C-alpha cells in the first residue's frame, strides 16, 4: 500500500518519484480532448500540485465531472513538468473521487472580497490568501516559543477567568453560571455570592499580574494566550478576543525591557522572512507592494529610544495637522504614534517615561515623581505594537498609587505580598499577536488575521 | 560591568569562572564564626547555588541579617566546592541586599502541606516542588509544539468565546456584558439580543468544531489552549479552567488517530525523561516512588487496542467488585478504566468502537449502525488521558444524528457546510494537558499542576 504524502514535501524533491499518493481538494480543472489538468491543493503549502490525467484512464468520465472544491485521491508518478509554471507534476495512474462539491460551492475561481470571505470564515482558509495567513500565524507562534526558550524563559499559563482587573479600567466580559432569569435581585453583591466563583468574575484583559508572581519565582517567564476586551468598537483594529505574548523578567530594568522587545520583534520578522517566503511573496504581490521593504527596514534598523517629553516636542514642532491636539501630559493617539514612526523617524521607535497620570498603577514611579518607567514600541503601518513597563517594586509607593487609582488593597493582597517578601526590580511587556500578524502580512483589518474573529454582534462559527 | 548569569547555566560549567554576578532569593543561611553559607535560588533550576561569605567581607554585618526569602545580588568567583553536596560554589567578593524578607515570610524552611500551599498559590512556585512542576509544564509545552511541527501540523487558535456547545451537553459558563441589575426581563431571548454578541455566548468546552474547519483547509492542525467546564465538582480531578491539546487531521481514519495519540504520549513522556531529569528525580523521591517505572512502562509498551465490547467482557469476567455496575451499552467509569489499564493489562490501552448512544453526535457511525468510531486512550494512574474519534463526514448521517441529539441545524450551518463542500474522512482527539502533567509528575491533585486553579467558590490570584 502506498502512503499518502503531502504536496509541500513532494514539491521539494530533487528527483522524480514513482508510485505516489496525494489527497486534497480540486482548485481548478482544465479539460482538452485527450487530457485533463487538475490543480490539487492539500493545505500543506500555497502551491498546488498539477495532476495530468490521460483520457485513456479508467473512470475518466467520472474524473471529467470533478468540480472546484471536490476532494480526490490521486495515485501516479511525480515527473518533471512538461508545461511551464511548475517544476513537478503528477502523471496520474488512478484518480478516486472522495466527494463531489456542488456547483453552489462558494469559492469558485474568482476574486472574492475580504468582507464576503468574513461571512464564510469557516471556508476562507481554503483560499490562497487565508491559507497563507494561517500558515504564517502558525510559523510565527513557533518562532515566539523558540525565541524565549533559547533565552531560558519559561512558558506559563495564567488564568483566563479572573477576579481582578489588571488595567484598572478595562471593559470586561463577565463570566457567570447564574440563570439570566434568576438575576432578579437588585442587590448585586448577594447575587454574585450565588455565582460559580462566589464573586464577580471576568475574562482577563492581561496575564501580567499573575505572570509577575511566576517571574518572582522562576526568573524569566512569558505567557502566550487569549485576552479579552468588551469594547463596543467596530473598527479594523478591534476584536473582543485576541492573543497576547507577555514576557515578565525578574531583575530587569526598563532598558533591558526595551532591548528584549526590540530583539523579539526583529527575531520574529526575520524568522518569517527566512521560513515563509512563499506565503509572504503572495502578500507583497497582492496586499501591500511595500511589504518586504517595511520588514527589511524593521530588521535592519536600530530602534530609536526617546522620552515621551521629546516625542511631544517633536509633534508640537511639526507642521502636521492632527485630528487630536497634542499636549504635554495627554496620551498619544494612534495618528501621533504613526506620524512619529512613519513620517518623522521612518523606522521603529521606543517612547519611554510617560506621565504617571495616563498610565496604570503598577508602573514604576521615576525619581522626578511625575513620570513612570513605561515604554511603548511603535512600528510603521501599525503604531503601537508593544506596551510595557518596569513594575513598581516598592510596597509603600505601590500602595499609594493603588489608593490614588481607587483600587481596593484587599483584592490585591496576593499581589502586594510579592512586594512584601523578597521584592526585586522587574519588568515586562505585552505584544498583541494579531497586530504583529498585520505587520508581517500587510493585512489592514485585524478580523482577517484570526480564524474566527469575535466582534460586537458577531459570534458565528 | 559584570552581566548577571543564571544559576542553571553556571552549574553546567566545566571550569571555574572568575568575576561572576548572580541574583536570586535566599533559601537558607548558616553562619559560623568566620563564614556564612548562603543558598541562593533564582528559579532557573531546582538546585541552589551555595555562596560562601567570609566574615572579613565589608558589609558582613548586613549579610548576617539576611533572612529566608530575601533577594540578593552576589559578586564573586565560581570555584570547586570544598564541601560535599555540590560541585561548584561561589566565593563572594560582594553581597548586596536587594530586599529583606520579614520573619513572617510564609515559606520558612520546613515541609508545608499541599493544602496550605494552595492558599498561597502566588508564592508556592518558590518552593522546590512547585518550581519543578512549572518548569516541567513549560518544557512539555515546548515538546508538544515540537512534536506537531515535525509532522507538518499547523498550530491554530480557535475561539474561547463561542455560540455553540461542542459536546451538546456541557456545563457552560455564560459570557456577558449585561449589567446584573439590568437582567430583570424574564424573556431570555430578548435579553440576549441586548448582549455583546447579540445572542447567548459561552466559554468553549472544546475547540474541535472550529479545528475541523481548519483541518479541512490546511490538512493537519492542532490547538493548544484553555477550555472550560462549569462543573460544580470539588474533586482532585476537576478544575473549571484547563488546557487542552486537540489535533485534527484531514484524510485520517480511526487507526491513524490512535497511532498519533500513542506516538504523542510516548514522545512527551520520553522528552520529559530526556530533558527534565533533575526535576523528575524530585517527584520520584518525594511524591511517587514508582514514577520512573510507570513512565518507562509507557514509553516501552505497545498500547493494547481493544473494542469497547471486549473491554466490557473483560470487566464482566473479572472477579473485581466495582462501585458502579458494568454492562454492555453503558459508559465506563473511571474505576473500570483504571482496572483495565492498571490491573488487567498493566499498560496503556486504547478502547474503540463505543455504543453510539453514549457518545456525541459528531462521531462517525460504524457499519453496524450501533457503534461509533470513538477511541479513548487510558494510562495507569490517570485513566482516560485522550478521547477522540473519526468524525462523521457524511452529511445525511450527520444531520440525522443531530436531530436525534435535539440540536438545531441552523446553529451549525457552517459546520454542516464542511460536509457539503469537499467532505473527507477526518479524525482528531483531545488530550487534557493537566492530566498529562499529573501522569508525568506523580501529583494526584489537578489543582497542583496549574499555577492558579479555578474551582467552585475560588478565584483568588
Amino acid at each position: 500500500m502506498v502512503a499518502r504524502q503531502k504536496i509541500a514535501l513532494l514539491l521539494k524533491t530533487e528527483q522524480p518519484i514513482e508510485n505516489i499518493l496525494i489527497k486534497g481538494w480540486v482548485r481548478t480543472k482544465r479539460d482538452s480532448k485527450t487530457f485533463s489538468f487538475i490543480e490539487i491543493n492539500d493545505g500543506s503549502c500555497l502551491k498546488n500540485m498539477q495532476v495530468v490525467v490521460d483520457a485513456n484512464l479508467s473512470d475518466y468520465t467520472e474524473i471529467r465531472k470533478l468540480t472546484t472544491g471536490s476532494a480526490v485521491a490521486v495515485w501516479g508518478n511525480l515527473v518533471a513538468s512538461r508545461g511551464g509554471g511548475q517544476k513537478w507534476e503528477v502523471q496520474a495512474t488512478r484518480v478516486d473521487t472522495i466527494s463531489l462539491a456542488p456547483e453552489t460551492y462558494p469559492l469558485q475561481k474568482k476574486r472574492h472580497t475580504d468582507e464576503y470571505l468574513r461571512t464564510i470564515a469557516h471556508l476562507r482558509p481554503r483560499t490562497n490568501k487565508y491559507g497563507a495567513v494561517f500558515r504564517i500565524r502558525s510559523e510565527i507562534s513557533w518562532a515566539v516559543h523558540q525565541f524565549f526558550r533559547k533565552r531560558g524563559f519559561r512558558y506559563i499559563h495564567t488564568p483566563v477567568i479572573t477576579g481582578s482587573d489588571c488595567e484598572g479600567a478595562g471593559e470586561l466580559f463577565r463570566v457567570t453560571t447564574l440563570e439570566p432569569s434568576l438575576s432578579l435581585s437588585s442587590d448585586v453583591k448577594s447575587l454574585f455570592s450565588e455565582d460559580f466563583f462566589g464573586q464577580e468574575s471576568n475574562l482577563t484583559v492581561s496575564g501580567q499580574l499573575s505572570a509577575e508572581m511566576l517571574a518572582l519565582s522562576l526568573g524569566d517567564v512569558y505567557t502566550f494566550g487569549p485576552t479579552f476586551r468588551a469594547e463596543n468598537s467596530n473598527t479594523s483594529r478591534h476584536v473582543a478576543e485576541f492573543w497576547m505574548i507577555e514576557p515578565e523578567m525578574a531583575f530587569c530594568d526598563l532598558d533591558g525591557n526595551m532591548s528584549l522587545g526590540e530583539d523579539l520583534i526583529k527575531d520574529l520578522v526575520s524568522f518569517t522572512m527566512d521560513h515563509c517566503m512563499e506565503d509572504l511573496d503572495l502578500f507583497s504581490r497582492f496586499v501591500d507592494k511595500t511589504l518586504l521593504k517595511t520588514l527589511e527596514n524593521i530588521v535592519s534598523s536600530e530602534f530609536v529610544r526617546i522620552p515621551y517629553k521629546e516625542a511631544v516636542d517633536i509633534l508640537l514642532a511639526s507642521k502636521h495637522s492632527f485630528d487630536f491636539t497634542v499636549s504635554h501630559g495627554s496620551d498619544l493617539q494612534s495618528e501621533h504614534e504613526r506620524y512619529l514612526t512613519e513620517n518623522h523617524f521612518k523606522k521603529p521607535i521606543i517612547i519611554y517615561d510617560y506621565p504617571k497620570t495616563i498610565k496604570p498603577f503598577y508602573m514604576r514611579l521615576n525619581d522626578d515623581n511625575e513620570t513612570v518607567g513605561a515604554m511603548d514600541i511603535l512600528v510603521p503601518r501599525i503604531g503601537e505594537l508593544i506596551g510595557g513597563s518596569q513594575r513598581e517594586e516598592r510596597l509603600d509607593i505601590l500602595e499609594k498609587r493603588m489608593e490614588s487609582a481607587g483600587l481596593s488593597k484587599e483584592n490585591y493582597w496576593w499581589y502586594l505580598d510579592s512586594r512584601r517578601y523578597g521584592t526585586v526590580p522587574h519588568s515586562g511587556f505585552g505584544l498583541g499577536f494579531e497586530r504583529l500578524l498585520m505587520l508581517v502580512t500587510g493585512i489592514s483589518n485585524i478580523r482577517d488575521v484570526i480564524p474566527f474573529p469575535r466582534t460586537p454582534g458577531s459570534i458565528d462559527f
Side-chain angles (χ1 to χ4, degrees), chain A residues 108-278:
Chain A
Q108 298 301 324
K109 193 181 163 65
K110 62 165 186 169
R111 272 220 87 157
H112 299 282
T113 65
D114 292 322
E115 289 73 21
Y116 170 67
L117 291 172
R118 261 171 239 148
T119 69
I120 49 169
H122 58 308
L123 299 176
R124 66 179 178 170
R126 301 181 184 191
T127 65
N128 282 340
K129 179 172 167 182
Y130 289 92
V133 168
F134 298 125
R135 276 190 298 272
I136 286 186
R137 194 175 166 112
S138 170
E139 284 297 288
I140 303 188
S141 298
W142 168 260
V144 167
H145 290 298
Q146 196 176 53
F147 174 88
F148 285 114
R149 190 166 194 268
K150 270 189 194 158
R151 283 162 180 76
F153 281 64
R154 305 295 177 171
Y155 178 43
I156 58 166
H157 296 133
T158 52
V160 167
I161 309 177
T162 148
S164 55
D165 171 9
C166 173
E167 297 294 324
E171 288 176 284
L172 300 175
F173 285 107
R174 196 155 50 81
V175 174
T176 180
T177 52
L178 296 174
E179 288 291 328
S181 54
L182 278 181
S183 312
L184 293 169
S185 160
S186 57
D187 175 0
V188 170
K189 234 186 169 166
S190 81
L191 196 68
F192 287 140
S193 73
E194 306 281 303
D195 210 343
F196 192 89
F197 296 108
Q199 66 168 85
E200 182 170 359
S201 313
N202 301 297
L203 292 182
T204 187
V205 297
S206 160
Q208 178 199 317
L209 302 193
S210 314
E212 284 184 55
M213 300 306 104
L214 287 148
L216 297 173
S217 313
L218 303 178
D220 294 332
V221 300
Y222 70 105
T223 72
F224 184 10
T227 46
F228 306 85
R229 296 279 154 91
E231 251 178 304
N232 203 349
S233 305
N234 262 307
T235 79
S236 61
R237 297 162 53 89
H238 289 90
V239 282
E241 176 178 335
F242 52 96
W243 282 62
M244 279 241 280
I245 298 154
E246 296 184 279
E248 192 72 35
M249 299 152 278
F251 309 108
C252 177
D253 63 12
L254 193 64
D255 264 336
N257 205 16
M258 293 192 228
S259 298
L260 189 84
E262 179 171 346
D263 288 351
L264 176 62
I265 293 171
K266 285 178 171 170
D267 184 273
L268 297 179
V269 172
S270 302
F271 181 94
T272 316
M273 296 176 81
D274 290 346
H275 291 82
C276 312
M277 212 49 205
E278 185 183 58

Side-chain angles (χ1 to χ4, degrees), chain A residues 51-64:
Chain A
V51 174
V52 188
V53 188
D54 194 293
N56 296 323
L57 213 64
S58 67
D59 289 329
Y60 183 66
T61 46
E62 289 306 307
I63 295 165
R64 288 286 282 228

Side-chain angles (χ1 to χ4, degrees), chain A residues 405-453:
Chain A
L407 294 171
S408 138
K409 282 190 271 180
E410 287 69 44
N411 282 355
Y412 292 86
W413 65 271
W414 50 275
Y415 188 69
L416 292 169
D417 259 8
S418 67
R419 274 59 171 177
R420 276 185 200 108
Y421 306 122
T423 187
V424 304
H426 61 289
S427 299
F429 62 78
L431 182 152
F433 189 54
E434 281 74 19
R435 288 204 178 167
L436 178 75
L437 286 166
M438 291 166 76
L439 173 71
V440 165
T441 59
I443 286 177
S444 55
N445 195 314
I446 192 170
R447 293 174 177 86
D448 297 336
V449 295
I450 189 165
F452 302 105

Side-chain angles (χ1 to χ4, degrees), chain A residues 312-323:
Chain A
V312 172
D313 284 339
I314 291 169
L315 291 168
L316 289 172
S318 84
K319 305 274 184 281
H320 198 84
S321 93
F322 296 108
D323 293 340

Side-chain angles (χ1 to χ4, degrees), chain A residues 229-365:
Chain A
R229 296 279 154 91
E231 251 178 304
N232 203 349
S233 305
N234 262 307
T235 79
S236 61
R237 297 162 53 89
H238 289 90
V239 282
E241 176 178 335
F242 52 96
W243 282 62
M244 279 241 280
I245 298 154
E246 296 184 279
E248 192 72 35
M249 299 152 278
F251 309 108
C252 177
D253 63 12
L254 193 64
D255 264 336
N257 205 16
M258 293 192 228
S259 298
L260 189 84
E262 179 171 346
D263 288 351
L264 176 62
I265 293 171
K266 285 178 171 170
D267 184 273
L268 297 179
V269 172
S270 302
F271 181 94
T272 316
M273 296 176 81
D274 290 346
H275 291 82
C276 312
M277 212 49 205
E278 185 183 58
D279 288 324
L280 272 193
D281 190 48
L282 177 142
F283 295 112
S284 71
R285 279 190 297 147
F286 298 113
V287 177
D288 177 359
K289 301 236 181 278
T290 66
L291 180 64
L292 294 182
K293 235 179 79 189
T294 304
L295 299 184
E296 273 155 20
N297 176 33
I298 287 171
V299 173
S300 62
S301 298
E302 191 175 340
F303 292 13
V304 176
R305 303 184 183 193
I306 53 165
Y308 163 88
K309 258 191 190 141
E310 203 174 303
V312 172
D313 284 339
I314 291 169
L315 291 168
L316 289 172
S318 84
K319 305 274 184 281
H320 198 84
S321 93
F322 296 108
D323 293 340
F324 292 87
T325 327
V326 179
S327 73
H328 281 285
S330 60
D331 211 356
L332 299 181
Q333 301 296 320
S334 183
E335 55 170 344
H336 308 141
E337 295 174 341
R338 293 190 60 174
Y339 175 82
L340 288 167
T341 177
E342 286 170 16
N343 301 60
H344 188 84
F345 288 106
K346 297 183 171 59
K347 59 174 170 173
I349 64 171
I350 311 180
I351 304 181
Y352 61 94
D353 287 352
Y354 283 77
K356 67 177 178 185
T357 46
I358 59 172
K359 289 291 182 184
F361 74 93
Y362 51 73
M363 296 192 175
R364 191 178 195 277
L365 192 64

